[in-house]
Amino acid sequence: MNVVERDEEFSIMEGMLGATVAGQGGALLVSGVAASGKTALLRAFGARAHAAGALLMQATASDVERDMPLGVMGQLLLGAELPDVDATRAARLVDLVAVTVPTRRARVTLPATVVNVITELSGIIIEKAKERPVVLVIDDVHHADPYSLEGLLYLARRLDASRILMLLGESGSGLSGNTGSGAARFQVDLLRVAGCRHIRLGPLTRRGVAELAAACGGHGRRWWGTRPLVAELHRIGGGNPLLTRALIEDGRGPGAGSGEGGPADLVPGEAFEQAVTMCLYRSDTATRNAAWALAVLGPHAAHAELAEVLGVSRESAHRSLDALRAGGLLGSGWFRHEAGRAAVLRSMEPTHRAHLEARVAEVLHDHGHAATVVVRHLIQAGPIEAAWALPTLLEAAERALADDEVGLALACLRVARASCADERRSLEIRAALTRAARRVNPATAAQHLPALTAGALAGRVSTRHAAELVGHLLWFGQVDQATAVLRAAEKCRAAGAAPGAGTPHRLDDVRLWLAYEYPGLPRPARAAGEASWGAGPARSAHERAATLVRAVLDGAGDDVVVRAEQTLQGTRLDDGTVPALVVALNALILADRLDKAAYWSETLFKEATARSAPMWQAQLASVKARVEVRLGGLAAADRSAHTAITLVPAEGWGVALAAPVALAVYAKTALGRLDDAAAHLCVPVPEMAFHTPDGLVYLWARGHYYLAAGRPYAALDDFRTCGDLMTCWDLDLPGLVPWRTDAAQAQLALGDERRAHDLAEEQLALVGPGAAWTRGVSLRVLARTLPAARRPPLLEEAVEILRESGHRLELARATDELARAHRELGGAGQARSLARKAQQLARECGVPAPAAPRPADPGTPLGGDGAWAPPATGRPVELSDAELRVATLAARGHTNRQIADKLFITISTVEQHLTRAYRKLDVQRRTDLTEKIRPAAGSGTR
């Protein structure tokens, strides 16, 4: 074995061996911390002495063999090259002591049998020394059994007149600290003997580390052996040869990277962990326990706390820390690398780790440390029965949530629930668990809802927790349970039996939330009368949110904006206020204040991201997507919807899943990615979602997908369902879903311009002056139902409204319609200008631009001026024969029924052919077909 930087020690041994050969024996005690190179040094010199002709006798003591009488003496003699007669005699003597003499437990007079056996065994060695020099090598002598120590002392006192060299290795304070077995007396007595010397091995210097690295080789790595590498090896390994070799092995391994990154590639791995574990178990018990306790306590532990955890004096704790520092594990009072600490922690048995964590928690609590510090150890220890443990866990959970450490809060609450026997308090802990888990993934909180519901119905939860529980149940569509809990809470409050305190209007706020989230449910009358809601300003965030909900339900435009801004400006983002903030943002969207909605949604989303709250992020990303859809930022809306869906799994969204899925469907549909939109429609949405406003948004988005996919009947069905629900719920808010305008577009696709006209006019009559988005869209759709000469005024008004309000996608569509109108009226120049603007706006929204048109047929008016339309040709090659026949008859003014009768097909088949023809020719009405098709003679009449 290659021994590095031990030349001086070898020189001492060589000198002592020379004296021994000359007839003057000696003893050398080699001390050093575990894995400091003692064993390698002793073995290397033993091999050299044996090669020089000496009789080598070796033994290694072990702590597990300390109760084996004369175990070390037996190793020395029975493992040496002795004649059979001497080996047989030695074995008989050792067996005699093992059978007849008990293990020595204290400093008592040696039994006569032991004295005689030690004399005879020593005599064998002394006799052999007369023939040739004898070298005795005993490693880890501090673990030797007491009788063997007495035998070694017997020999040591007779070395000056014999040719015997005794080399003893001991770790750290192993001899001086092992007072119970007589090892301390052995060291004192040994060092009194004439000719006995003592050397201590220190850690490797940087030069020694460099020599070791060079000897091992770097397998072609350019940076191997450089000063930075040596410095890093020395910093992590502390000069400990075993640790340094392990680091080199990890650095040369196949998993250590390409080797081109320099010393940064040096990452402690499996070999280093094994070396740390070996160092620990080769150290004495006190040092090992100190390493474990320090690793559990952490880097800021005081020495007094460490000593108290270990149950030893401060001086003893200091000695153990010094041993760890000398062994290369510690530097400046803490582990040189986190991998060292991790290895120390993993070296413990789980039961011992749990016991130690509990002891550390107790000591830290007694010393007044913060609850969040103490509970990190309580969590590892598991439930304990100390009276202070449960309050500490609950206090730490509350602080952790306030500091956005949700993982710590959840861990505290889980341990608290496992250790709590009181039913009422256990329900409080479950409520806290549900609240904390909802910040990450509400699905993980669902397991606590049955127990909390049962407790609420029995009147065992506070008003606050009952109100929170209603919110959780509504989130998952459990409306019946939510209303039952609410009635039970109101009954307890009326009887004065509800545990805990609640704000005066708390349960009334919940009633309003119930009416907002599920508007189809009947709204029961408030006991105190409706007039009290306007009696004074709302003070708490819950009251402000409740009054905002009421304003939204009543359709109060300006008041909604004022209350929404008050809520956003005066409410801090936390577990109880996220729903209120989302309502405020949606209120701004309904009021078409998209600039404010965009600002606040982005601001709150960034805060939620910084605070590592996935559910908050997901909800706010969904709101951002809704704002971006209205503004026409389709790519941004698609990204936001994707963020919302991926941050929290579908099962965690509850009924609110309808919103992000709907926005993803709409954005992808508008971007022309119909296959991707269809994939989102395959995501199962809870049935109860269609009893919420988000369900309306889902139907709206799916309807537009159906329109784009050529399924106008299905689209019309979704839009009419929206209308039926909104009318039934008394929530006919055009800013939420302008279902009449959407249904009008479906009717246009079906060729029923009269019904489309009536629906668009009805929608315009219901739109207030501030609803720019709905008004602009409705004007555009209404214009499509009119002759070309009457379209420009409506479309110009729509363009003006949408430009001022920033609705880019709808502005692009209105501008394109205006271009088409001017083209039909003969204004080719203005049509081209408007078409270019429409295309630019479409590109800004992410809508894919169509292929460049072919040169227009000279005989076709304005053939090259279409905004997004392909040029007219005699027979569009895109259309099949069946589609061309149907489109030609439609262009001549035939109704769907007339076309069906003429071609002997069903009306449904006519609709399908027309839908495909519209999509291929990129037209939106029958009158546009005349520009795209020049009917050939006899076409359509076959």
Side-chain angles (χ1 to χ4, degrees):
M1 178 179 291
N2 183 28
V3 180
V4 176
E5 211 173 41
R6 298 298 183 224
D7 294 341
E8 183 178 350
E9 291 80 1
F10 254 99
S11 178
I12 293 173
M13 292 178 177
E14 290 282 6
M16 295 185 71
L17 179 60
T20 299
V21 172
Q24 187 175 0
L28 177 65
L29 180 62
V30 182
S31 297
V33 296
S36 58
K38 301 180 304 298
T39 300
L41 177 64
L42 293 174
R43 288 179 179 176
F45 183 77
R48 183 175 298 184
H50 181 67
L55 175 62
L56 179 63
M57 296 185 177
Q58 300 181 97
T60 300
S62 172
D63 186 50
V64 297
E65 296 181 2
R66 183 171 291 173
D67 291 337
M68 186 182 296
L70 291 176
V72 170
M73 291 293 288
Q75 284 189 59
L76 287 172
L77 289 159
L78 300 179
E81 298 174 354
L82 295 178
D84 290 343
V85 61
D86 291 331
T88 302
R89 179 185 170 198
R92 179 178 54 80
L93 291 170
V94 172
D95 290 342
L96 175 64
V97 174
V99 172
T100 61
V101 180
T103 302
R104 187 183 189 188
R105 294 293 183 184
R107 293 189 62 184
V108 295
T109 303
L110 287 175
T113 302
V114 174
V115 173
N116 293 333
V117 168
I118 288 176
T119 302
E120 290 194 42
L121 292 175
S122 300
I124 294 174
I125 296 173
I126 292 172
E127 285 298 321
K128 291 300 170 186
K130 294 177 181 178
E131 301 173 6
R132 56 174 171 161
V134 176
V135 176
L136 307 180
V137 178
I138 302 96
D139 197 11
D140 290 338
V141 69
H142 53 285
H143 289 316
D145 62 280
Y147 293 152
S148 291
L149 292 178
E150 292 294 344
L152 293 174
L153 284 173
Y154 181 91
L155 279 171
R157 288 189 286 267
R158 291 158 178 79
L159 293 177
D160 57 343
S162 65
R163 295 196 299 169
I164 300 174
L165 176 60
M166 187 183 300
L167 303 177
L168 309 173
E170 65 100 4
S171 294
S173 57
L175 287 172
S176 59
N178 202 348
T179 56
S181 66
R185 182 179 63 86
F186 170 81
Q187 184 183 43
V188 172
D189 291 345
L190 179 68
L191 295 178
R192 286 178 183 171
V193 175
C196 181
R197 300 184 63 176
H198 184 197
I199 60 175
R200 181 174 293 276
L201 299 184
L204 297 178
T205 64
R206 288 199 179 190
R207 179 177 296 178
V209 170
E211 184 180 343
L212 191 59
C216 293
H219 289 188
R221 286 167 170 77
R222 298 176 183 175
W223 47 268
W224 198 264
T226 60
R227 288 185 179 181
L229 170 73
V230 171
E232 190 70 0
L233 286 171
H234 192 267
R235 182 187 69 82
I236 300 175
N240 182 304
L242 180 63
L243 297 180
T244 303
R245 289 180 187 276
L247 285 169
I248 292 172
E249 181 179 342
D250 287 331
R252 297 190 311 164
S258 64
E260 299 300 324
D265 280 353
L266 188 66
V267 179
E270 183 179 352
F272 183 76
E273 180 178 341
Q274 292 174 352
V276 170
T277 303
M278 190 178 300
C279 287
L280 284 179
Y281 281 94
R282 289 177 63 180
S283 300
D284 59 86
T285 303
T287 303
R288 185 164 57 250
N289 287 339
W292 285 340
L294 183 64
V296 170
L297 271 166
H300 305 297
H303 287 180
E305 294 166 349
L306 176 63
E308 191 171 342
V309 168
L310 293 171
V312 299
S313 65
R314 294 191 185 185
E315 291 74 15
S316 177
H318 273 293
R319 282 197 299 271
S320 296
L321 291 177
D322 288 341
L324 290 169
R325 190 160 34 249
L329 281 177
L330 301 186
S332 301
W334 185 241
F335 292 92
R336 291 178 172 272
H337 195 281
E338 187 58 30
R341 181 190 182 223
V344 170
L345 290 174
R346 281 194 287 268
S347 69
M348 281 188 281
E349 293 292 334
T351 53
H352 181 73
R353 169 78 181 271
H355 175 76
L356 184 57
E357 295 279 7
R359 176 59 183 158
V360 167
E362 182 181 5
V363 170
L364 294 180
H365 176 265
D366 292 344
H367 281 253
H369 282 266
T372 50
V373 174
V374 176
V375 295
R376 296 181 188 274
H377 303 287
L378 283 178
I379 292 168
Q380 294 290 337
I384 63 175
E385 297 180 357
W388 54 268
L390 183 58
T392 302
L393 285 164
L394 297 178
E395 178 189 351
E398 186 175 350
R399 290 187 183 181
L401 270 183
D403 295 337
D404 299 318
E405 296 184 71
V406 184
L408 176 60
L410 288 171
C412 290
L413 292 169
R414 291 188 186 108
V415 176
R417 185 168 68 87
S419 59
C420 180
D422 181 75
E423 184 180 2
R424 190 178 295 278
R425 198 164 195 184
S426 179
L427 286 173
E428 293 176 358
I429 296 172
R430 282 184 181 272
L433 263 171
T434 304
R435 184 168 59 253
R438 185 168 177 175
R439 191 183 294 192
V440 180
N441 179 6
T444 61
Q447 60 179 310
H448 303 293
L449 298 184
L452 286 171
T453 302
L457 295 176
R460 293 194 298 270
V461 301
S462 67
T463 301
R464 173 198 172 190
H465 291 151
E468 290 179 349
L469 176 59
V470 170
H472 298 320
L473 292 170
L474 292 177
W475 180 265
F476 288 107
Q478 301 177 28
V479 179
D480 292 340
Q481 294 92 322
T483 53
V485 168
L486 186 54
R487 285 195 298 268
E490 289 172 335
K491 184 177 179 180
C492 288
R493 184 180 67 173
T503 58
H505 297 297
R506 182 83 183 191
L507 296 178
D508 297 319
D509 296 347
V510 176
R511 283 286 181 192
L512 277 178
W513 277 106
L514 183 59
Y516 171 78
E517 293 190 32
Y518 292 87
L521 299 177
R523 284 189 249 176
R526 295 181 65 254
E530 295 290 347
S532 64
W533 276 105
R539 293 177 295 275
S540 70
H542 292 285
E543 290 183 40
R544 287 196 298 270
T547 56
L548 174 60
V549 166
R550 182 174 180 79
V552 170
L553 293 173
D554 291 344
D558 293 338
D559 192 41
V560 165
V561 176
V562 172
R563 291 184 186 276
E565 289 195 90
Q566 288 176 345
T567 300
L568 291 167
Q569 292 175 13
T571 305
R572 182 181 183 273
L573 182 63
D574 62 34
D575 297 298
T577 62
V578 171
L581 293 169
V582 170
V583 167
L585 292 170
N586 285 332
L588 291 176
I589 297 172
L590 286 175
D592 224 14
R593 300 302 300 269
L594 299 184
D595 52 343
K596 295 181 182 295
Y599 167 77
W600 281 107
S601 61
E602 180 66 25
T603 300
L604 291 171
F605 177 78
K606 288 180 178 178
E607 181 180 348
T609 303
R611 295 174 63 183
S612 302
M615 192 66 244
W616 298 356
Q617 292 174 257
Q619 288 178 267
L620 293 165
S622 180
V623 176
K624 279 171 79 300
R626 186 172 298 189
V627 175
E628 288 153 355
V629 161
R630 289 289 179 93
L631 289 172
L634 298 178
D638 187 34
R639 288 193 299 270
S640 294
H642 177 77
T643 298
I645 293 170
T646 54
L647 274 173
V648 176
E651 58 270 18
W653 272 97
V655 296
L657 177 64
V661 171
L663 295 164
V665 168
Y666 184 87
K668 286 179 167 59
T669 298
L671 289 168
R673 295 158 53 189
L674 295 186
D675 289 343
D676 292 341
H680 281 294
L681 288 174
C682 294
V683 176
V685 174
E687 180 61 32
M688 287 303 296
F690 297 98
H691 296 267
T692 70
D694 287 339
L696 298 175
V697 177
Y698 184 91
L699 291 171
W700 167 78
R702 190 173 67 182
H704 280 281
Y705 164 78
Y706 285 149
L707 268 182
R711 299 171 61 184
Y713 278 113
L716 183 60
D717 185 60
D718 274 349
F719 296 142
R720 282 176 174 170
T721 301
C722 280
D724 293 340
L725 291 174
M726 296 171 75
T727 303
C728 177
W729 296 348
D730 193 20
L731 193 68
D732 198 354
L733 303 176
L736 178 60
V737 173
W739 67 269
R740 294 174 181 83
T741 301
D742 297 323
Q745 295 183 73
Q747 294 287 9
L748 283 172
L750 292 169
D752 196 335
E753 295 184 357
R754 182 182 59 79
R755 290 186 182 179
H757 180 275
D758 294 343
L759 286 166
E761 280 200 330
E762 185 180 351
Q763 188 72 84
L764 277 171
L766 295 172
V767 173
W773 176 66
T774 308
R775 185 168 183 80
V777 175
S778 300
L779 286 169
R780 175 177 65 81
V781 174
L782 178 61
R784 289 176 56 190
T785 68
L786 301 174
R790 296 177 58 188
R791 293 178 207 157
L794 296 180
L795 292 171
E796 287 169 359
E797 182 182 354
V799 167
E800 185 66 23
I801 291 172
L802 295 170
R803 182 187 296 116
E804 291 180 358
S805 57
H807 298 279
R808 289 177 298 167
L809 179 61
E810 288 302 331
L811 177 60
R813 290 169 174 169
T815 304
D816 177 59
E817 291 286 348
L818 186 57
R820 291 171 182 267
H822 280 292
R823 186 179 63 236
E824 291 183 29
L825 295 173
Q830 192 170 5
R832 279 193 294 269
S833 175
L834 289 169
R836 284 193 293 269
K837 289 180 181 179
Q839 288 178 335
Q840 178 60 34
L841 287 167
R843 284 192 291 269
E844 291 175 2
C845 294
V847 176
R854 295 184 295 272
D857 190 303
T860 304
L862 308 177
D865 296 332
W868 296 330
T873 64
R875 170 186 171 94
V877 296
E878 299 92 341
L879 299 184
S880 67
D881 288 341
E883 291 164 355
L884 179 60
R885 286 194 294 270
V886 170
T888 301
L889 291 173
R892 291 176 176 176
H894 291 71
T895 66
N896 288 359
R897 181 173 296 279
Q898 290 171 335
I899 297 173
D901 292 341
K902 185 176 285 289
L903 298 179
F904 303 101
I905 57 178
T906 65
I907 296 177
S908 176
T909 302
V910 172
E911 292 168 350
Q912 293 176 28
H913 288 327
L914 274 179
T915 299
R916 286 193 290 269
Y918 285 176
R919 187 170 67 251
K920 291 180 179 181
L921 299 175
D922 197 14
V923 299
Q924 299 178 1
R925 65 182 68 83
R926 291 178 181 237
T927 54
D928 293 337
L929 289 172
T930 57
E931 304 173 16
K932 307 292 182 177
I933 300 174
R934 288 186 312 180
S939 96
T941 60
R942 288 177 292 176

